[in-house]
Amino acid sequence: MAVAYKRVLIKISGEALAAEKKTGYDFSFVTTVCEQVKRCVELGAQVGIVVGGGNFWRGVKDGDGKIERVSADRMGMLATAMNGLALADVFAQCGVKAKLLTAVDIQGVGERYDTKKAIEYLESGTVVIFGCGTGMPFFSTDTAAVLRAAEIHADAILLAKNIDGVYSDDPRKNPAAVKYDEISYGDVLAKRLAVMDSTATSLAMDNSIPVIVFALAEPENIVKVLAGEKLGTLVK
């Protein structure tokens, strides 16, 4: 099987790691995801991953009015580092080399992020997990995913979500919502569609990085998208 994209950045939400449990980890599901990423590596792809932290902490939403935004965002960064550690260990059990690089210094947890080092790891067949978002408050892990994709010169961003593409409205609330097979960044911004936040979408547009939005509920979709199969929605 040939790959359509040589180097990809996969964005996985923290909630996805919990699956039906909602919090923590569903290790059966996490293992399945890691096994699919392993298939991608075996096909010759270079894979970077940005993971969210929503299975532990969702920023000010979880702060109950007690946690200031900067502190809440930093707590979220720590949650992504925890998820990065978990992914790295599951990858190891699957026989895949993986490295956690963090955007903030956390001695003994992960290496400090460095673009050149990340690319070296990718070229050696190591899965690179980018933790702690951008390292700055007020920026989402969506923005971190696009930023890292631009820095490592990724061919595409694979946006694995709990929905199977981009819709004109929330299909869970509006059964008449229409799914797009392909849509432009400009239309996503103009229509205020819930793909990524506006900062992430603008950054992807400015750097001409295609984003493929697909459902992670079937982890084998990762390999299918990598191979160029028409799944989900292409944003470009």
Side-chain angles (χ1 to χ4, degrees):
M1 181 188 296
V3 296
Y5 308 103
K6 177 66 175 178
R7 181 178 294 168
V8 294
L9 190 293
I10 303 174
K11 168 65 197 313
I12 301 174
S13 71
E15 293 95 324
L17 302 181
E20 296 301 320
K21 293 178 64 176
K22 305 300 182 184
T23 59
Y25 304 105
D26 179 334
F27 280 110
S28 176
F29 182 75
V30 174
T31 299
T32 301
V33 170
C34 290
E35 287 173 342
Q36 295 304 310
V37 173
K38 178 181 180 180
R39 287 184 62 196
C40 294
V41 174
E42 290 172 343
L43 288 170
Q46 298 173 12
V47 181
I49 296 174
V50 167
V51 62
N55 52 325
F56 288 114
W57 180 257
R58 292 189 55 79
V60 290
K61 293 179 182 178
D62 287 346
D64 196 29
K66 309 296 183 184
I67 308 295
E68 198 270 333
R69 173 66 186 271
V70 173
S71 297
D73 284 358
R74 286 176 175 154
M75 292 167 69
M77 293 175 204
L78 295 176
T80 70
M82 293 166 62
N83 286 339
L85 284 172
L87 280 175
D89 274 18
V90 176
F91 273 124
Q93 290 196 4
C94 293
V96 179
K97 293 185 294 182
K99 279 282 186 180
L100 171 61
L101 305 186
T102 60
V104 295
D105 291 312
I106 313 178
Q107 189 173 0
V109 171
E111 285 187 40
R112 185 66 159 84
Y113 170 73
D114 175 86
T115 304
K116 290 183 179 179
K117 180 60 70 174
I119 292 173
E120 287 176 8
Y121 282 137
L122 290 167
E123 291 177 340
S124 73
T126 300
V127 172
V128 178
I129 304 163
F130 301 102
C132 299
T134 66
M136 301 293 291
F138 297 98
F139 292 96
S140 70
T141 49
D142 282 346
T143 300
V146 180
L147 176 62
R148 296 294 179 245
E151 289 176 321
I152 66 173
H153 310 294
D155 298 317
I157 296 169
L158 277 53
L159 192 58
K161 298 175 73 75
N162 58 1
I163 192 168
D164 65 345
V166 180
Y167 285 78
S168 59
D169 197 4
D170 188 341
R172 293 165 294 191
K173 299 178 181 178
N174 180 5
V178 177
K179 179 185 172 186
Y180 300 101
D181 293 326
E182 186 173 312
I183 190 169
S184 69
Y185 303 113
D187 283 345
V188 167
L189 291 169
K191 298 175 185 292
R192 297 180 179 273
L193 301 177
V195 180
M196 303 182 291
D197 62 74
S198 59
T199 302
T201 302
S202 297
L203 187 59
M205 179 172 63
D206 291 345
N207 288 276
S208 301
I209 308 172
V211 179
I212 302 98
V213 183
F214 64 98
L216 188 62
E218 298 176 3
E220 60 271 18
N221 284 344
I222 296 173
V223 178
K224 292 179 180 179
V225 170
L226 184 77
E229 189 170 327
K230 302 296 183 182
L231 286 178
T233 302
L234 172 62
V235 184
K236 67 176 186 177

